[in-house]
Amino acid sequence: MTTSPSEPTTTSRTPGNVLVIGACGQLGLELTAALRQRYAPEAVVAADVRPPKDPAALAGGPFELLDVLDQPRLEALVAQYQPVQIYHLAALLSATAEKDPMFAWKLNMDGLLNVLNLAVQYRVPQVYWPSSIAVFGPDTPREHTPQTTIMNPNTVYGISKLAGEQWCEWYHRHYGLDVRSLRYPGLIGYKSLPGGGTTDYAVDIYHKAVAGEDFECFLKADTYLPMMYMPDALKATLDLMHAPADSIKVRTSYNLGAMSFSPAEITTAIQQETPGFQVSYAPDQRQAIADSWPASIDDTAARQDWGWAPEFDLEKMTRDMLVHLREPVVA
Ligand code: VAH
């Protein structure tokens, strides 16, 4: 049962311990690697409810089994490692959450509240928690969606992310907790596979192209969605977390953009590099989710407050993805 934080626990803090919860997910694997490059590898503790499929993926530093709903276990890890940063990524994504709404709400909400309460109790200096463009809904302006606008998400995932944003702002205002957040678009990378999202097609399509197979897309050809290459997402996350606290003016979650494209456009970009690659379209239940989300994002606030600037567009991302996916797998 989630409880409010008890009296802060006095702590002696070894510099640099970082706890990544949900480290085996698409973002978690890459963010853990980036943090281990930035900090001492042994100081970045990867945690997830099950070990990584590939043991080598997180072999560079400590790994702990953790179900973020197991509050005593989470508290034991926070007390043991005394993190100066917690990155709490564990959640059910949009498509999966629609299939198990009550567990999705429990994991996405109680998991966040467990982290926020322990961060206050153990005086963890910083917390990061990802939100999503899923917080917007079908009556949100779809083009250049503003930072502050109509927000009526109609997915369980979006409802939980919108509620989570409000909790983050409350914990900042009520306890002074330095919790920061980004509304990620669809994330695309070659080092890890997505799981249960509506934007997953944009990763799967590259794998099919490299395998020399045709691809069946679960969204319509003209479905525009905001997307971002993983190196840009990692840069944004670390830039946000290292920005001076007084530059962070948004304590719900920052809009974050880089590019928008449709399945037809990413197909054309891949065909420039992989002639003959063919895509067919078979929209499924994820089409309705995609149709409720913005087509493009206004991230002026992130650019003004802490200097956000993306590096990758569709063509540059496509070249980089295909080069890396074509590299021989080192046994
Ligand atoms: C999803 N990849 O599809 C996530 C993301 C904007 C989409 O939040 O659920």
Side-chain angles (χ1 to χ4, degrees), residues 141-155:
R142 294 202 74 230
E143 296 296 341
H144 307 300
T145 299
Q147 175 70 44
T148 303
T149 184
I150 300 163
M151 300 173 83
N152 294 312
N154 63 3
T155 64

Side-chain angles (χ1 to χ4, degrees), residues 29-264:
L29 283 171
E30 295 225 38
L31 184 58
T32 300
L35 288 164
R36 284 176 172 169
Q37 272 188 331
R38 185 172 190 130
Y39 300 115
E42 67 277 4
V44 181
V45 182
D48 210 315
V49 71
R50 62 183 65 84
K53 290 191 181 77
D54 170 7
L58 291 173
F63 177 83
E64 297 282 1
L65 284 175
L66 169 67
D67 175 347
V68 71
L69 296 176
D70 180 347
Q71 194 277 352
R73 170 68 177 154
L74 176 58
E75 179 166 6
L77 291 180
V78 173
Q80 176 186 346
Y81 288 102
Q82 301 288 327
V84 293
Q85 290 180 330
I86 297 177
Y87 292 80
H88 173 45
L89 312 178
L92 286 198
L93 297 185
S94 57
T96 308
E98 290 302 296
K99 297 173 187 165
D100 193 350
M102 290 303 103
F103 178 65
W105 175 258
K106 183 174 182 60
L107 174 60
N108 294 6
M109 277 295 73
D110 288 358
L112 172 61
L113 290 169
N114 283 349
V115 169
L116 294 175
N117 285 327
L118 285 167
V120 169
Q121 183 179 343
Y122 283 81
R123 291 203 170 107
V124 176
Q126 282 191 303
V127 175
Y128 178 76
W129 174 78
S131 184
S132 161
I133 61 165
V135 296
F136 300 114
D139 56 356
T140 300
R142 294 202 74 230
E143 296 296 341
H144 307 300
T145 299
Q147 175 70 44
T148 303
T149 184
I150 300 163
M151 300 173 83
N152 294 312
N154 63 3
T155 64
V156 174
Y157 175 66
I159 294 165
S160 73
K161 288 297 184 181
L162 181 56
E165 289 187 3
Q166 301 304 318
W167 274 120
C168 289
E169 195 278 333
W170 189 89
Y171 271 75
H172 175 70
R173 180 162 35 87
H174 198 77
Y175 295 114
L177 181 64
D178 187 0
V179 48
R180 305 183 187 188
S181 180
L182 295 171
R183 289 170 182 162
Y184 289 129
L187 299 185
I188 298 162
Y190 58 86
K191 293 180 184 173
S192 56
L193 292 174
T198 300
T199 58
D200 294 2
Y201 89 88
V203 177
D204 302 341
I205 194 169
Y206 286 108
H207 287 269
K208 287 291 189 187
V210 167
E213 299 171 17
D214 292 346
F215 178 63
E216 183 178 86
C217 182
F218 56 70
L219 296 180
K220 289 190 290 192
D222 61 351
T223 307
Y224 270 86
L225 287 171
M227 297 282 189
M228 180 174 290
Y229 196 29
M230 189 63 79
D232 271 338
L234 298 174
K235 176 176 178 291
T237 307
L238 296 181
D239 285 356
L240 173 76
M241 290 300 279
H242 292 88
D246 59 8
S247 67
I248 307 301
K249 309 289 192 290
V250 173
R251 288 290 180 172
T252 47
S253 187
Y254 275 97
N255 276 10
L256 189 74
M259 55 181 142
S260 292
F261 56 76
S262 66

